[in-house]
Amino acid sequence: MFSWVSSDTRRKKDPELFHTVSEGLRKLYTQKLLPLEETYRFHEFHSPALEEADFHNKPMVLLVGQYSTGKTTFIRHLMEQDFPGMRIGPEPTTDSFIAVMHGPVEGILPGNALVVDPKKPFRKLSAFGNAFLNRFMCAQLNNPVLESISIIDTPGILSGEKQRISRGYDFAAVLEWFAERVDRIILLFDAHKLDISDEFSDVIKALKNHEDKIRVVLNKADQIETQQLMRVYGALMWSLGKIINTPEVVRVYIGSFWSHPLLIPDNRKLFEAEEQDLFKDIQSLPRNAAVRKLNDLIKRARLAKVHAYIISALKKEMPNVFGKDNKKKELITNLGEIYLKIEKEHQISPGDFPSIKKMQEILMTQDFSKFQSLKPKLLDTIDDMLANDIARLMVLVRQEESQMTHQDVKGGAFEGTMNGPFGHGYGEGAGEGIDDIEWVVAKDKPTYDEIFYTLSPVNGKITGASAKKEMVKSKLPNTVLGKIWKLADVDHDGLLDDEEFALANHLIRVKLEGHELPADLPSHLIPPSKRRNE
């Protein structure tokens, strides 16, 4: 009966096709999540509504740190170019939020003009008022690094209550706004100044729920000796452990991120490796931008759903006529009990609930009579979005990622270490001897030959069993020795001649010195007698 109704309903529920991840996220937000947010006043409690630019903007990197930790110098180091409005000095110099973005013409856009530009993702910052907007600007310049990412420079964090009052705006709230929208948050520390001030502590706490975006940089590490650096690193980890309440250890990059000579070059290799790891992390942002936006939308949807349960529960408890004010105070005081009730009734994880203290503060200014009761259809729409639409978008994310394999951040400092003799690890480990005319193994071959001839070679070759007896003396795992065997057996005959045996021992030494083995044997390591066949 009424089969035509059910078929029509099925047609309406056919999944909508999305051409790009950004388009899909925008449609899901405006059509499914935004109605729930508006119904339960989500934007007054948590975060402003998302706009078109939020879905299409480039990945953003937010730099946060106390004054004179090298935030502005770090940006200049990445771009290898000065930017408009840049000021560097030992005293607190950067007193503004500066969005460093790509533009055809070099110049500065002031904050009030910036927040009315629909192409920029900053329109909702107007809510922080003129005190903030007068300290906000966009520096535009034509730099290849900025073609892939945008960078947000922030004022240096100072200590003491006086500094918080004199700002004229809620500094931590502004940083929280940025944290929700950026792809990476870099906390910079000076190796000489590890004290975490009250304001810095509040800022780090404001970044809660964004721990996955946070990377920590211990800057200016070339100015202290190795022993002192170990102590500084340990002290920093201890301090961060008290503030960032996560079971995982925060990743800390140690180095000196500027173009000046190292004052104490003892840890040069460590600094180079750490810089390379950090650069790779930043370079991956364009590829992972779609996943980040998808992840942020899922987090927002879960919070909006919990928020709807909280607001509807408060509405349900309110009397229709008398005693509204007293009941409101009682409900706000007992908000923790309401959280527990919702948690049990709807099987929601405690980690999905917003801060009780923050909710209580905002609820004090709200009119509970204007709250909406629970609307199951809106919540069912969110459940359907999370269960079905997001899964379809995830497939599209993988497709877009596969097409962006070469769209890393390029230019600036990223170019200096990519290729050539100053690339990370060039001429080291398996790369040793890459530019030599002679075979690099030849200098140690007489030593290896002595061992080779004690293994009773037949027709100039030894068996795998004979080679194994010698190779296991290195105490390397069988999985590693197996890979070395495959690399050394160049002619794939299951036997090793004197050159191949020497090569195997060379690769064992490479591994024992802490270097990684190559996936394929580099051309400069191929034994001379085998090169004719290559």
Side-chain angles (χ1 to χ4, degrees):
M1 189 176 180
F2 300 126
S3 61
W4 62 271
V5 174
S6 59
S7 65
D8 183 58
T9 303
R10 281 197 299 272
R11 279 198 297 271
K12 285 182 181 179
K13 288 188 177 180
D14 281 346
E16 187 177 0
L17 294 176
F18 302 126
H19 298 293
T20 65
V21 176
S22 296
E23 176 203 1
L25 289 172
R26 183 184 61 79
K27 286 187 176 179
L28 288 180
Y29 177 72
T30 53
Q31 295 173 8
K32 298 191 174 184
L33 183 52
L34 185 58
L36 180 76
E37 291 183 355
E38 290 176 337
T39 301
Y40 296 102
R41 302 183 166 206
F42 179 87
H43 308 137
E44 297 176 31
F45 286 82
H46 304 289
S47 177
L50 299 178
E51 295 192 326
E52 183 87 19
D54 290 311
F55 298 100
H56 298 288
N57 66 306
K58 296 171 186 172
M60 292 193 289
V61 178
L62 177 68
L63 295 180
V64 182
Q66 298 184 132
Y67 74 92
S68 194
T69 52
K71 297 184 297 297
T72 307
T73 306
F74 182 88
I75 298 174
R76 202 222 168 279
H77 178 61
L78 286 186
M79 301 193 304
E80 294 184 344
Q81 182 181 349
D82 292 346
F83 57 88
M86 183 184 88
R87 292 174 60 208
I88 296 174
E91 76 284 1
T93 48
T94 303
D95 62 346
S96 302
F97 281 81
I98 304 177
V100 187
M101 307 182 81
H102 187 267
V105 181
E106 187 171 312
I108 290 177
L109 270 174
N112 282 288
L114 199 54
V115 295
V116 295
D117 186 349
K119 294 181 180 179
K120 297 283 193 298
F122 306 122
R123 293 179 61 167
K124 296 297 181 180
L125 282 169
S126 58
F128 292 102
N130 278 327
F132 166 71
L133 295 179
N134 291 334
R135 289 280 181 264
F136 180 44
M137 66 179 76
C138 174
Q140 288 188 321
L141 65 157
N142 190 358
N143 184 282
V145 173
L146 300 177
E147 290 178 6
S148 304
I149 60 172
S150 299
I151 308 172
I152 312 296
D153 194 9
T154 61
I157 298 169
L158 301 172
S159 59
E161 186 70 26
K162 186 176 180 181
Q163 287 299 325
R164 281 200 291 272
I165 296 170
S166 66
R167 289 193 192 275
Y169 60 91
D170 192 337
F171 183 67
V174 173
L175 283 177
E176 187 175 0
W177 186 94
F178 275 109
E180 289 178 5
R181 289 158 177 79
V182 301
D183 297 70
R184 187 67 74 239
I185 302 166
I186 298 180
L187 297 180
L188 281 102
F189 290 86
D190 186 333
H192 291 94
K193 295 185 300 186
L194 286 188
D195 57 307
I196 298 179
S197 66
D198 296 340
E199 188 176 33
F200 201 4
S201 179
D202 291 342
V203 163
I204 295 175
K205 288 174 183 174
L207 302 178
K208 190 183 177 185
N209 300 324
H210 304 288
E211 289 90 351
D212 56 319
K213 299 178 181 180
I214 294 176
R215 302 291 184 269
V216 177
V217 170
L218 180 58
N219 201 12
K220 305 182 183 180
D222 65 317
Q223 299 177 14
I224 53 179
E225 301 284 351
T226 302
Q227 186 178 11
Q228 187 66 21
L229 180 59
M230 291 172 62
R231 292 173 180 163
V232 167
Y233 178 80
L236 176 60
M237 297 299 289
W238 181 78
S239 299
L240 288 172
K242 293 195 299 180
I243 300 172
I244 303 177
N245 296 316
T246 57
E248 301 86 9
V249 177
V250 180
R251 175 67 163 98
V252 176
Y253 298 88
I254 305 171
S256 184
F257 295 90
W258 64 350
S259 55
H260 292 234
L262 299 175
L263 291 179
I264 301 174
D266 299 2
N267 298 305
R268 184 188 184 100
K269 283 192 176 182
L270 170 65
F271 297 159
E272 288 175 354
E274 293 284 279
E275 183 177 68
Q276 193 72 13
D277 287 350
L278 181 59
F279 281 6
K280 283 180 181 177
D281 185 68
I282 295 173
Q283 283 183 299
S284 71
L285 294 180
R287 290 199 308 273
N288 300 328
V291 174
R292 194 275 302 169
K293 289 174 183 175
L294 185 66
N295 185 54
D296 284 355
L297 188 73
I298 293 170
K299 285 199 289 187
R300 190 181 180 102
R302 291 168 69 93
L303 179 60
K305 191 176 166 186
V306 171
H307 179 76
Y309 284 130
I310 295 169
I311 296 300
S312 58
L314 294 171
K315 171 71 174 178
K316 186 178 179 181
E317 295 293 331
M318 285 295 288
N320 290 326
V321 184
F322 300 110
K324 288 185 178 182
D325 288 342
N326 290 333
K327 188 64 176 177
K328 175 182 174 179
K329 291 177 183 177
E330 180 189 330
L331 289 172
I332 292 173
T333 304
N334 300 325
L335 189 61
E337 295 176 13
I338 294 171
Y339 275 24
L340 287 172
K341 185 179 177 182
I342 294 170
E343 183 186 328
K344 292 176 182 177
E345 186 177 343
H346 300 285
Q347 303 297 307
I348 297 172
S349 168
D352 287 348
F353 285 83
S355 163
I356 290 181
K357 184 179 178 183
K358 181 181 174 183
M359 282 294 289
Q360 287 173 328
E361 289 174 1
I362 301 173
L363 285 170
M364 292 293 289
T365 63
Q366 295 288 322
D367 183 354
F368 283 26
S369 64
K370 293 182 179 178
F371 287 174
Q372 297 288 328
S373 55
L374 197 63
K375 298 183 186 296
K377 281 188 178 180
L378 285 175
L379 293 165
D380 290 344
T381 301
I382 300 301
D383 288 336
D384 177 65
M385 180 187 85
L386 293 172
N388 301 309
D389 297 317
I390 294 295
R392 288 190 295 111
L393 263 185
M394 201 66 215
V395 175
L396 195 57
V397 165
R398 297 303 173 206
Q399 291 175 358
E400 285 193 4
E401 281 183 346
S402 64
Q403 296 166 6
M404 292 179 66
T405 50
H406 301 294
Q407 293 194 20
D408 288 339
V409 182
K410 295 179 180 178
F414 298 103
E415 294 292 330
T417 57
M418 285 177 64
N419 300 302
F422 294 98
H424 179 64
Y426 188 92
E428 300 174 6
E432 182 186 352
I434 189 170
D435 295 325
D436 295 349
I437 297 173
E438 298 292 328
W439 187 38
V440 68
V441 185
K443 63 180 184 294
D444 296 316
K445 189 171 181 294
T447 304
Y448 301 141
D449 282 349
E450 289 180 14
I451 303 170
F452 178 77
Y453 288 109
T454 63
L455 299 174
S456 306
V458 177
N459 297 324
K461 295 191 176 186
I462 59 172
T463 63
S466 297
K468 181 180 178 181
K469 290 178 183 177
E470 184 62 32
M471 291 172 69
V472 294
K473 293 178 182 178
S474 67
K475 300 181 181 179
L476 288 170
N478 284 347
T479 51
V480 175
L481 293 174
K483 184 174 182 179
I484 289 173
W485 169 269
K486 287 181 180 179
L487 291 170
D489 186 13
V490 180
D491 53 13
H492 310 294
D493 62 353
L495 302 168
L496 296 184
D497 61 20
D498 59 328
E499 288 184 330
E500 290 173 324
F501 180 75
L503 174 59
N505 280 278
H506 177 76
L507 292 172
I508 287 173
R509 180 174 65 80
V510 165
K511 187 62 182 175
L512 289 174
E513 288 177 353
H515 301 286
E516 291 300 319
L517 294 171
D520 300 300
L521 191 67
S523 58
H524 72 278
L525 287 183
I526 297 173
S529 65
K530 305 291 191 294
R531 293 179 186 178
R532 294 189 301 274
N533 301 324
E534 289 299 314

